[in-house]
């Protein structure tokens, strides 16, 4: 006998031809292989920066000289070099200003400056070493430098730019100025003209709507009044010139200590003896593999430091700087949090690549740069507090400082990072910015009408959190738990990270690497979660005993109604108390939208429930469960 129920008929939109359609990957070549790894002829260009700057705290003006050594690793001859002028977004006539909505927007322009004022742009004559003026055109926030002689493949050129700009007080949540009791905190980002990435996919990436960096060396000097402390990306090369004797001793102690060492205590902040002085001091920092940098300046900093243990007995130094306003437990623990977070990422994926990690409190909500982060000074110990923000911002050292993908695909930056944040949250029992159950509920109801692969500049404000962070993090988590299993997923993900360290992977490289390393065709997964705005609706359609006898087993018919495809987990409860699960792969949907499987029941079936742990963002939960007893016909639950 048949025990079938009819529920409110949701029209199925599922078509296996569409949902399992092969992703149209570019053909593999010697630069990027079909296995998603760099090929034998993989190339990239390189930019090494040497910058000398002086910051005047009264006028907020930074005056600098930048030397850029640009190496052409490409097979192409380059007649020009493009630089990105991050400060120009604050000009009144900038495109960022013109496209800032009236209502409050976190990254909109709220204050105008003159942007980068370029005093001189010069090129070094290779033979004579003489600096010659050069033709350079500013277009919006880009600078096009026409080279006197085209840059040949495998050759380098040295450019010099003298410039100044005023640090905006309200820098679109990327930079800014915060007054505190013991002095102002100045946070700098986008503070030097940075070369655009030239790659084999787009050529010059001048549309800088997504963060994309060319890893290289950054060596910089910042001159400020002696009472100020400077910290930022890179290793401090001249502690003996800028720190007191006692601070130098403490810093060396911190390099060997698992306990936090205070380089400058709260009490010392107001003591003149805690700074060498008077006059001006120049702080010198250097780091490799960066291509960008953040730094901050203030008289107000308390300074904590602790050793970070990395694989192969390597170590780094984690430092946290904050004003007395932040001198409470979450911040007092922040250097330890950094140590814990960095050690975990290093163990899980690949070792932290820098000698130092610096976190600085200030007005910026949260931003990550190479070896540096800024987080909001009032962040506390709650959800999305200091721990969660550090877990996220330090994760950016992996995605996308180290794995330097093009941020126009925001999921490659924020999504991959949010995913590793969740793994760290689980391993370290820390709270992340959003929980996975909340994310599943959100996704189950959301109608973004855009997909995770929508380019950054087209992604609607209302969709950004969902599509750049939440959806890709949930997707990868499900790929790990429901599709591949942790062991297979982690091995593939680690291979991707290691293969693309300090290189430029494309979305296809990621998709392919995960497929080839796991041995699966995952087109359906990428189509479902990244490339389309599809929704999931799995349902239990009918439950039928073989020959009408429970002891002969039961045939359960499932239907996939949405375009999204996922494996099916079905929990069967029997009247004899048996509870079992059937795990069916996504491939059951390959040949049609319904699937019947046999379950060897030995007594009457009480319930059949799809996705019993509610791991999937199913649209219509009302058709997920069948409730019944032998020989009765029951309507499904509607909750
Ligand atoms: Zn982020």
């Amino acid at each position: 006998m048949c025990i079938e129920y009819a529920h409110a008929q949701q029209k199925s939109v599922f078509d296996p031809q569409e949902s399992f359609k092969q992703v149209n990957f570019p053909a593999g070549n010697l630069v990027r292989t079909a296995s998603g790894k760099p090929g034998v002829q993989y190339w990239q260009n390189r930019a090494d920066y040497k910058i000398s700057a002086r910051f005047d705290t009264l006028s907020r003006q930074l005056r600098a000289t930048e030397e850029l050594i640009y190496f052409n690793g490409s097979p192409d001859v380059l007649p020009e070099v493009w630089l990105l002028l991050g400060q120009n977004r604050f000009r009144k006539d900038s495109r960022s200003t013109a496209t800032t909505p009236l209502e409050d927007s976190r990254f909109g322009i709220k204050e105008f400056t003159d942007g980068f004022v370029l005093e001189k742009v010069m090129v070094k004559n290779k033979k004579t070493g003489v600096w010659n003026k050069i033709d350079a055109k500013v277009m919006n926030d880009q600078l096009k430098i026409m080279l006197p002689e085209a840059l040949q493949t495998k050759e380098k050129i040295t450019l010099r730019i003298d410039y100044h700009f005023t640090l905006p007080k309200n820098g679109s949540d990327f930079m800014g100025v915060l007054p505190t009791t013991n002095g102002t905190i100045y946070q700098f980002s986008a503070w030097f003209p940075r070369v655009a990435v030239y790659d084999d996919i787009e050529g010059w990436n001048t549309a800088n709507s997504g963060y994309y960096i060319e890893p290289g060396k950054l060596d910089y000097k910042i001159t400020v009044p002696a009472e100020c402390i400077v910290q930022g990306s890179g290793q401090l090369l001249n502690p003996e010139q800028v720190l007191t004797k006692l601070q130098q001793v403490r810093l060396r102690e911190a390099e060997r200590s698992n306990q936090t060492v205070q380089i400058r205590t709260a009490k010392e902040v107001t003591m003149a003896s805690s700074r060498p002085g008077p006059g001006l001091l120049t702080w010198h920092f250097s780091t490799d593999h960066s291509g960008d940098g953040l730094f901050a300046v203030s008289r107000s900093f308390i300074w904590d430091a602790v050793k970070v243990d990395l694989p192969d007995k390597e170590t780094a130094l984690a430092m946290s700087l904050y004003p007395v306003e932040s001198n409470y437990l979450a911040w007092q623990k922040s250097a330890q949090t950094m140590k814990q977070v960095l050690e975990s990422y290093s163990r899980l994926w690949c070792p932290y690549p820098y000698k130092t990690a610096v976190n600085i409190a200030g007005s910026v909500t949260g931003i990550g740069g190479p070896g540096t982060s800024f987080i909001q000074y009032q962040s506390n110990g709650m959800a999305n507090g200091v721990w969660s923000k550090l877990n996220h911002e330090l994760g950016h050292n992996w995605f996308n400082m180290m794995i330097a993908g093009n941020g126009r695909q925001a999921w490659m930056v924020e999504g991959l990072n949010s995913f590793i944040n969740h793994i760290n949250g689980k391993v370290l029992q820390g709270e992340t910015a959003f929980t996975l159950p909340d994310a599943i509920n959100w996704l189950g109801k959301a109608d973004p009408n855009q997909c995770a692969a929508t380019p950054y500049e087209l992604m609607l404000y209302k969709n950004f959190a969902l599509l750049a962070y939440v959806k890709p993090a949930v997707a990868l988590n499900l790929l790990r738990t429901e599709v591949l299993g942790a062991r297979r997923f982690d091995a593939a993900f680690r291979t991707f990270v290691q293969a693309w360290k300090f290189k430029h992977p494309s979305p296809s490289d990621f998709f392919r690497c995960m497929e080839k390393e796991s041995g699966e065709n995952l087109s359906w997964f990428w189509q479902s979660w990244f490339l389309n705005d599809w929704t999931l609706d799995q349902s239990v359609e009918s439950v039928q005993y073989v020959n009408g006898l429970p002891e002969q087993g039961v045939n359960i018919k499932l239907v996939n109604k949405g375009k999204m495809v996922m494996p099916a987990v079905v929990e069967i409860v029997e009247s004899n108390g048996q509870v079992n699960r059937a795990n069916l792969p996504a491939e059951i949907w390959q040949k049609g939208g319904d699937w019947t499987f046999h379950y060897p029941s030995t007594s009457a079936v009480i319930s059949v429930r799809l996705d019993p742990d509610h791991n999937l963002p199913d649209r219509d939960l009302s058709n997920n469960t069948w409730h019944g007893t032998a020989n009765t016909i029951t309507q499904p639950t509607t909750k």
Side-chain angles (χ1 to χ4, degrees):
M1 99 155 256
C2 169
I3 40 173
E4 206 164 30
Y5 63 80
H7 45 73
Q9 285 294 310
Q10 297 277 18
K11 211 172 154 265
S12 173
V13 291
F14 176 69
D15 171 7
Q17 303 297 315
E18 187 183 8
S19 295
F20 284 90
K21 193 172 174 216
Q22 195 61 38
V23 175
N24 194 11
F25 292 125
N29 56 42
L30 296 173
V31 179
R32 289 166 201 274
T33 68
S35 61
K37 290 184 193 166
V40 287
Q41 286 179 16
Y42 177 84
W43 57 265
Q44 77 189 39
N45 294 358
R46 182 180 167 104
D48 295 325
Y49 301 90
K50 208 173 198 175
I51 302 166
S52 244
R54 189 170 158 167
F55 178 57
D56 177 32
T57 51
L58 289 178
S59 63
R60 284 183 279 124
Q61 195 179 82
L62 186 105
R63 193 169 275 279
T65 295
E66 165 183 339
E67 244 181 74
L68 161 62
I69 300 175
Y70 187 62
F71 170 75
N72 181 11
S74 83
D76 310 330
V77 174
L78 303 176
E80 71 269 315
V81 173
W82 287 87
L83 278 83
L84 305 176
L85 305 174
Q87 291 294 329
N88 283 17
R89 46 186 284 127
F90 298 103
R91 286 178 60 95
K92 203 168 185 175
D93 57 3
S94 77
R95 196 173 294 170
S96 297
T97 298
T99 54
T100 294
L102 283 177
E103 66 272 19
D104 195 35
S105 71
R106 180 177 164 195
F107 302 121
I109 305 302
K110 289 156 196 144
E111 183 187 335
F112 303 125
T113 70
D114 293 332
F116 278 128
V117 178
L118 305 182
E119 294 151 19
K120 278 183 201 156
V121 182
M122 290 174 287
V123 62
K124 196 180 206 169
N125 184 300
K126 256 190 243 167
K127 287 185 197 116
T128 63
V130 173
W131 291 105
N132 294 315
K133 270 194 84 178
I134 195 170
D135 183 19
K137 284 189 183 64
V138 176
M139 303 170 203
N140 296 311
D141 41 14
Q142 299 150 7
L143 178 70
K144 185 181 189 183
I145 297 180
M146 295 307 301
L147 301 175
E149 278 172 58
L151 184 59
Q152 301 296 315
T153 181
K154 305 285 181 277
E155 282 196 0
K156 56 188 172 189
I157 193 164
T158 308
L159 301 167
R160 176 178 153 175
I161 303 172
D162 293 0
Y163 66 95
H164 65 266
F165 70 93
T166 303
L167 178 69
K169 280 187 192 160
N170 185 335
S172 301
D173 218 11
F174 291 113
M175 61 200 90
V177 175
L178 176 77
T180 76
T181 315
N182 297 319
T184 304
I185 299 175
Y186 305 91
Q187 289 175 308
F188 287 83
S189 65
W191 58 278
F192 58 93
R194 183 163 60 79
V195 79
V197 175
Y198 184 83
D199 65 22
D200 58 303
I201 298 169
E202 303 246 347
W204 284 109
N205 285 262
T206 48
N208 56 340
S209 54
Y211 191 72
Y212 194 20
I213 51 167
E214 197 77 273
K217 188 172 177 178
L218 175 66
D219 184 290
Y220 64 103
K221 291 177 181 166
I222 309 287
T223 302
V224 289
E227 66 266 26
C228 290
I229 281 178
V230 183
Q231 268 301 330
S233 301
Q235 224 179 338
L236 176 64
L237 298 185
N238 61 339
E240 65 290 350
Q241 285 166 5
V242 293
L243 300 178
T244 64
K245 285 249 151 51
L246 181 60
Q247 286 163 351
Q248 292 172 48
V249 170
R250 288 171 176 173
L251 202 57
R252 284 198 295 272
E253 191 189 326
E255 282 165 2
R256 297 185 302 270
S257 173
N258 285 318
Q259 305 302 318
T260 302
V261 175
Q262 289 214 284
I263 311 301
R264 195 194 201 205
T265 65
K267 216 168 120 199
E268 289 165 351
V269 169
T270 50
M271 290 162 54
S273 61
S274 76
R275 297 295 306 125
L280 295 172
L281 286 177
T282 299
W283 296 65
H284 187 186
F285 299 90
S286 181
T287 176
D288 205 353
H289 304 304
S290 74
D292 196 7
L294 305 174
F295 75 89
V297 175
S298 185
R299 286 191 288 134
S300 73
F301 289 141
I302 295 167
W303 181 352
D304 296 345
V306 68
K307 178 188 65 159
V308 180
D309 286 306
L310 302 174
D312 297 327
K313 298 209 162 66
E314 293 285 319
T315 61
L317 186 67
M319 296 183 270
S320 187
L321 292 91
Y322 50 94
V324 287
E325 281 83 349
S326 314
N327 193 19
Y328 45 82
L329 192 62
W331 279 92
Q332 288 157 358
K333 286 195 318 198
S334 59
Q336 283 293 332
T337 300
M338 294 173 75
K339 171 182 171 67
Q340 181 193 36
V341 163
L342 292 168
E343 287 176 356
S344 178
Y345 285 137
S346 297
R347 266 195 309 269
L348 286 167
W349 312 119
C350 80
Y352 181 70
Y354 306 114
K355 291 270 177 256
T356 52
V358 184
N359 179 58
I360 302 161
S363 59
V364 172
T365 307
I367 180 177
T372 349
S373 55
F374 295 160
I375 73 172
Q376 213 269 345
Y377 76 112
Q378 288 166 317
S379 303
N380 53 31
M382 315 298 280
N384 211 14
V386 174
W387 195 93
S388 147
K389 281 185 182 158
L390 283 174
N391 188 37
H392 180 81
E393 301 309 343
L394 296 179
H396 276 309
N397 284 297
W398 281 260
F399 301 101
N400 64 343
M401 303 304 148
M402 215 184 321
I403 318 305
N406 186 343
R408 252 187 104 204
Q409 288 286 299
W411 67 267
M412 288 197 78
V413 183
E414 300 300 355
L416 291 175
N417 186 21
S418 297
F419 165 69
I420 64 166
N421 298 164
H422 272 273
I423 302 291
N424 244 14
K426 214 149 80 183
V427 172
L428 302 172
Q429 296 175 331
E431 267 188 279
T432 45
F434 54 90
T435 69
L436 290 171
D438 284 350
I440 291 292
N441 283 329
W442 188 2
L443 280 163
K445 295 186 187 92
D447 274 312
N449 287 315
Q450 292 189 311
C451 65
T454 302
Y456 177 83
E457 68 272 16
L458 296 179
M459 207 174 266
L460 299 174
Y461 287 119
K462 71 173 178 73
N463 289 339
F464 189 60
L466 182 74
L467 298 182
Y469 298 72
V470 175
K471 192 175 183 181
V474 168
L476 295 174
N477 208 64
L478 290 173
L479 184 62
R480 184 173 189 262
T481 56
E482 309 293 305
V483 183
L484 298 179
R487 240 182 52 193
R488 215 158 36 132
F489 178 97
D490 290 357
F493 197 74
R494 212 171 282 133
T495 299
F496 169 74
V497 168
Q498 284 165 1
W500 290 98
K501 197 166 139 186
F502 301 119
K503 296 191 169 81
H504 300 306
S506 69
S508 300
D509 294 324
F510 175 70
F511 296 150
R512 282 177 137 160
C513 191
M514 292 304 290
E515 290 194 358
K516 300 302 163 189
E517 293 301 311
S518 66
E520 294 282 352
N521 181 341
L522 295 169
S523 272
W524 59 271
F525 190 86
W526 316 128
Q527 298 280 19
S528 288
W529 284 93
F530 289 87
L531 305 176
N532 293 286
D533 174 32
W534 289 347
T535 54
L536 181 79
D537 184 13
Q538 298 178 338
S539 79
V540 184
E541 202 67 11
S542 68
V543 178
Q544 191 174 353
Y545 294 130
V546 175
N547 299 321
L549 300 168
E551 56 274 25
Q552 291 190 12
V554 68
N555 290 336
I556 300 169
K557 183 178 176 185
L558 308 177
V559 174
N560 193 51
K561 298 184 166 186
K563 291 193 182 196
M564 179 185 269
V565 177
M566 281 300 280
V569 178
V570 188
E571 187 177 82
I572 300 113
V573 180
E574 290 184 58
S575 59
N576 64 5
Q578 288 264 0
V579 180
N580 283 304
R581 286 186 179 188
N583 291 291
L584 307 168
E587 284 75 10
I588 57 173
W589 312 116
Q590 259 173 346
K591 298 216 160 76
D594 58 80
W595 184 257
T596 304
F597 70 101
H598 180 78
Y599 171 75
S601 59
T602 53
S603 64
V605 172
I606 292 175
S607 70
V608 174
R609 183 192 291 267
L610 268 162
D611 186 22
D613 302 325
H614 195 29
N615 287 326
L616 305 181
D618 198 304
R619 276 280 125 158
D620 182 3
L621 298 176
S622 73
N623 57 25
N624 279 27
T625 311
W626 173 87
H627 280 292
T629 51
N631 305 321
T632 58
I633 297 169
T634 314
Q635 293 301 317
T637 52
T638 49
K639 279 181 186 164

